[in-house]
Amino acid sequence: SLDRDVRARDELDKLRARFSELAGVIHAQVLKLQAADIQLREAITALSHDLRTPLTALGGYLETIKMRGYELTSSERDTFVDLALAQYRRLTHLVRAQFDLAMLNSTAFPFDPQYSSLSDLVHDVGQKFMATAKAVGIDLSVTTPPVGVYAIVDLGLLERVLENLLSNAIRHTPPGGRVAMWIQEDSSRIAICVKDTGKGIPAADLPHIFDRYYRGTNTAKTSEQGAGLGLAIAKRIMELHGGEIAVTSTLGAGAEFCCYFPRLKSSGTRSPSRFYGHLPWR
């Protein structure tokens, strides 16, 4: 009888422990759902705000053309049409960025990594921005190792990440500044880095810089302001590659973004090496 009582208490203790464990799991799931709900509400609010501004401006320009068209000179009409087109393009960019991020988070997304040359990709993307950088008085340098660097990547997606980083770097660097992109590697991983001598990122913004819709306190307020999704998209693309993207910055002294990839296993024909771009301000 005593043994039965002991066994019964043991079983009851096990049940209590199991129920407690299940309650903890359920509580954690509830918290996750609540957090997801808050994030969704914040995303909808941010997107609504982003859409409202260009829609209001677009409507205003079109109403002006419709109601005052006969009073406007040809030059004035062209100006209003150009402004309306600019807002249309902004809306298109916002919607496309939102769609792209949704697709990247979908299991149906056609992620297609292939054995590819990172050296060629970095060189080609850099060349795309040479004329743009020169036009605004920025010295853009692109450096790759003397021996080709390869990885398993989706070239189209990675190209988008690098274009976003270079575009941001050039936009946030004043005339006379410098932007550099280079590859570095060690025995375990490869990195593609973009560094600028721009205004930098406040320390309070750094933990949130890759959050969707996040705009830091140092963000320029312009009519071409983006959807706040570029870096969130970059982060998701790097996650798909089994890598990560990181940033270091000092306010007033520029920023450095690095995309990290797992290194391909050595075939025995090349020993692990390390290469750093020759940057005059490193």
Side-chain angles (χ1 to χ4, degrees):
S1 175
L2 182 60
D3 289 343
R4 283 198 301 271
D5 289 343
V6 171
R7 285 197 297 271
R9 284 196 298 271
D10 288 344
E11 291 297 326
L12 188 58
D13 288 342
K14 289 178 181 179
L15 282 173
R16 287 198 186 100
R18 183 57 178 162
F19 277 122
S20 178
E21 181 182 342
L22 288 173
V25 171
I26 292 171
H27 180 66
Q29 291 297 324
V30 169
L31 291 177
K32 287 178 65 175
L33 288 172
Q34 289 174 339
D37 182 63
I38 292 172
Q39 289 176 352
L40 178 60
R41 290 173 185 273
E42 290 176 348
I44 292 173
T45 300
L47 181 59
S48 298
H49 178 271
D50 277 337
L51 293 176
R52 188 182 303 117
T53 301
L55 278 172
T56 301
L58 179 59
Y61 298 139
L62 292 176
E63 285 181 5
T64 299
I65 294 171
K66 181 176 178 60
M67 297 176 65
R68 296 184 52 217
Y70 63 92
E71 300 175 3
L72 299 174
T73 65
S74 176
S75 176
E76 288 173 333
R77 281 195 300 272
D78 287 345
T79 297
F80 279 114
V81 169
D82 289 341
L83 290 170
L85 282 173
Q87 296 304 322
Y88 161 76
R89 294 189 186 100
R90 184 180 176 190
L91 278 169
T92 301
H93 172 74
L94 289 168
V95 173
R96 182 180 295 126
Q98 176 64 33
F99 175 77
D100 288 347
L101 187 56
M103 284 296 296
L104 286 167
N105 285 307
S106 167
T107 56
F109 183 77
F111 179 55
D112 185 28
Q114 303 285 339
Y115 180 76
S116 308
S117 170
L118 295 182
S119 305
D120 290 346
L121 176 63
V122 166
H123 175 270
D124 292 346
V125 172
Q127 290 304 308
K128 279 186 185 181
F129 284 85
M130 284 294 179
T132 301
K134 185 176 180 181
V136 294
I138 292 172
D139 176 25
L140 172 61
S141 63
V142 179
T143 316
T144 56
V147 179
V149 178
Y150 295 85
I152 305 295
V153 299
D154 185 314
L155 276 178
L157 290 181
L158 183 55
E159 181 177 21
R160 179 169 184 174
V161 172
L162 299 183
E163 287 178 349
N164 179 272
L165 295 180
L166 271 184
S167 177
N168 287 345
I170 291 171
R171 186 168 66 250
H172 293 293
T173 300
R178 291 166 293 186
V179 173
M181 180 167 62
W182 72 97
I183 298 175
Q184 66 185 48
E185 57 179 329
D186 57 28
S187 60
S188 62
R189 62 181 185 175
I190 301 166
I192 300 176
C193 298
V194 174
K195 181 180 176 70
D196 63 67
T197 58
K199 57 189 177 183
I201 304 167
D205 293 338
L206 287 175
H208 311 286
I209 200 74
F210 298 107
D211 295 349
R212 65 168 65 194
Y213 297 113
Y214 185 78
R215 287 198 182 91
T217 56
N218 211 24
T219 302
K221 304 296 182 183
T222 69
S223 60
E224 297 301 316
Q225 192 172 355
L229 290 173
L231 290 177
I233 288 173
K235 177 184 177 183
R236 180 57 186 153
I237 289 173
M238 292 308 302
E239 289 173 346
L240 287 173
H241 284 88
E244 63 177 338
I245 182 170
V247 58
T248 56
S249 179
T250 301
L251 189 60
E256 181 177 322
F257 287 84
C258 285
C259 301
Y260 295 98
F261 304 86
R263 182 184 170 90
L264 293 176
K265 293 190 180 299
S266 176
S267 61
T269 59
R270 178 183 174 202
S271 60
S273 62
R274 198 174 190 90
F275 177 88
Y276 292 91
H278 302 293
L279 303 179
W281 73 93
R282 281 180 69 86

